[in-house]
Amino acid sequence: MKQLAIPCLFFRSGTSRGPFFLQSDLPTEATIRDKIILAAMGSPDDRQIDGIGGATTLTSKVAIFSPSPHSWADVDYLFGQVSINKAEIDWSPSCGNMVAGIGHAAIARGLVTATDQTTTVKIRNLNTNALIEAIILTPQGQVIYDGDMSIDGVPGTAAPVLLNFMEIVGSKTGQLLPTGYCREEIEGVEVTCIDVAMPMVIARANDLGKTGYETKAELDADTAFLARIARIRRLAGERMGLGDVTNSVIPKFAIIARPRYQGNITSRYFVPNVCHSAHAVTGAICVGCCSLLKGSVAEGITTSIGSGNEMVIIEHPTGKIEVSLVTSNQGSSMIVESAGIVRTVRLLLSGNVYVSSRL
């Protein structure tokens, strides 16, 4: 029997990587669609040896895009976190790295026409209903990938892509502080449960017996520590109105500490049961907002940040990530107007991915 050929674009998008599918190239029935994507990625298998997944959380991701009926947006974007060793795809979170490639994919597939110098692609994220503006370099109406921009976590340089995130407060819970508290105690540890671009549970590293400067390998090897933050995350998820999050990747967890390299804060971000090798974009936006929030666990840790139009530099295991935030304080709360971040994208492959017709 012939294999099924599914058209796709394969991008390195920010510090993530995965296939980008035009929605019309996939089955409309969600169960069949998911079986095809799992087969294409090679899941479930720890090595994803029979597919195009990279056997890490950062390289087992998928993006689906389509023309948007939304009055503001050009393109709709649906993100899926593909489990490596289970036949599961989590469609609940977003991914701020993968969204960086959506504008490029939309232009490549003719959903958006490139203009001279720069092209602005307006994107609606279907996971969270967030609106994102991607500004792509398109001299003479052509997308370019080569450039001088570097981002930590990716070797070499490439052309920059500016992402402006809007309407990001309460991405899943509808509230900045879904529990109603700026700071609370769970399992004897002070945390801030906050939802900006990504629902998160944030704790000070030293409250969990860590410095916050540990490497990914050191944190991943500490099974007792990982089990402890998993318990806190589950309890926090219930308090945040997210239900039983045992098998969900949200809320995400981060530990924070004072910066060491002229940044504003240090963060170790978990996805959700291992440490991210760099830092997620949506997670960086959330940590950045926490660092500006009076009364949060970041108060007294963050350095040299006021409020208003601020650039927050977050140090992570492989460097730093910079988030531009426009905020204003309202008493003990905060209004987040927008968040901007620069990523880079590279098209790796364009063609078909093949899966068995016996699915």
Side-chain angles (χ1 to χ4, degrees):
M1 297 177 68
K2 291 184 178 180
Q3 296 191 96
L4 300 176
I6 312 296
C8 77
L9 299 163
F10 199 74
F11 284 100
R12 191 275 300 159
S13 189
T15 55
S16 296
R17 193 188 74 196
F20 285 59
F21 295 101
L22 188 60
Q23 185 183 55
S24 58
D25 289 330
L26 293 169
T28 55
E29 207 284 307
T31 302
I32 300 173
R33 176 201 65 192
D34 287 8
K35 285 183 178 180
I36 286 175
I37 292 172
L38 286 164
M41 297 297 283
S43 295
D45 174 60
D46 285 342
R47 297 176 298 159
Q48 292 182 319
I49 194 66
D50 203 34
I52 59 175
T56 72
T57 55
L58 303 187
T59 55
S60 190
K61 299 184 176 188
V62 62
I64 300 174
F65 63 102
S66 60
S68 179
H70 191 275
S71 59
W72 178 86
D74 302 311
V75 185
D76 281 349
Y77 154 59
L78 181 67
F79 167 73
Q81 181 70 57
V82 181
S83 175
I84 296 169
N85 52 21
K86 297 179 182 178
E88 297 174 354
I89 304 175
D90 193 340
W91 300 103
S92 57
S94 181
C95 178
N97 274 297
M98 289 290 276
V99 75
I102 290 294
H104 300 71
I107 293 170
R109 287 291 187 254
L111 276 59
V112 173
T113 301
T115 56
D116 192 20
Q117 299 307 315
T118 64
T119 299
T120 298
V121 181
K122 296 178 179 179
I123 303 161
R124 178 178 63 156
N125 175 235
L126 297 180
N127 306 85
T128 62
N129 284 319
L131 302 178
I132 306 113
E133 186 180 67
I135 301 175
I136 301 165
L137 295 181
T138 53
Q140 299 179 335
Q142 299 294 318
V143 173
I144 61 168
Y145 293 98
D146 291 336
D148 298 324
M149 181 69 194
S150 64
I151 59 173
D152 290 330
V154 177
T157 63
V161 182
L162 174 61
L163 300 174
N164 292 317
F165 292 78
M166 294 158 278
E167 298 183 17
I168 50 177
V169 172
S171 65
K172 280 294 181 182
T173 66
Q175 301 175 76
L176 174 72
L177 299 170
T179 68
Y181 299 100
C182 199
R183 188 187 304 195
E184 59 197 288
E185 190 173 294
I186 301 179
E187 293 269 295
V189 178
E190 278 196 327
V191 300
T192 292
C193 298
I194 182 171
D195 184 1
V196 186
M198 174 66 69
M200 287 191 66
V201 186
I202 301 174
R204 292 181 294 260
N206 58 15
D207 289 346
L208 286 158
K210 299 296 181 183
T211 65
Y213 312 125
E214 289 85 359
T215 65
K216 168 180 166 59
E218 289 170 336
L219 292 169
D220 288 351
D222 192 338
T223 55
F225 165 74
L226 293 176
R228 188 179 184 191
I229 66 172
R231 290 195 301 272
I232 296 171
R233 192 183 78 88
R234 285 196 297 271
L235 292 170
E238 293 177 3
R239 293 191 188 185
M240 296 169 79
L242 296 169
D244 183 358
V245 300
T246 303
N247 296 315
S248 174
V249 299
I250 59 172
K252 295 292 174 60
F253 198 99
I255 57 174
I256 56 173
R258 288 183 175 275
R260 293 192 296 175
Y261 305 110
Q262 289 76 54
N264 301 113
I265 193 167
T266 293
S267 173
R268 296 295 185 263
Y269 181 83
F270 294 83
V271 288
N273 301 315
V274 294
C275 183
H276 198 297
S277 60
H279 208 291
V281 168
T282 48
I285 292 170
C286 197
V287 169
C289 288
C290 184
S291 71
L292 296 174
L293 182 61
K294 294 179 180 178
S296 77
V297 292
E299 192 169 41
I301 289 178
T302 310
T303 63
S304 305
I305 305 180
S307 62
N309 193 340
E310 299 291 340
M311 179 67 76
V312 181
I313 303 172
I314 301 168
E315 298 175 5
H316 58 69
T318 53
K320 64 182 183 299
I321 186 169
E322 300 179 1
V323 183
S324 176
L325 295 170
V326 179
T327 67
S328 59
N329 284 310
Q330 278 194 344
S332 60
S333 190
M334 179 174 65
I335 295 174
V336 183
E337 296 178 19
S338 66
I341 196 160
V342 174
R343 299 280 84 188
T344 65
V345 172
R346 192 165 78 86
L347 178 62
L348 304 179
L349 288 170
S350 174
N352 294 324
V353 59
Y354 290 86
V355 299
S356 171
S357 59
R358 295 181 177 181
L359 293 175

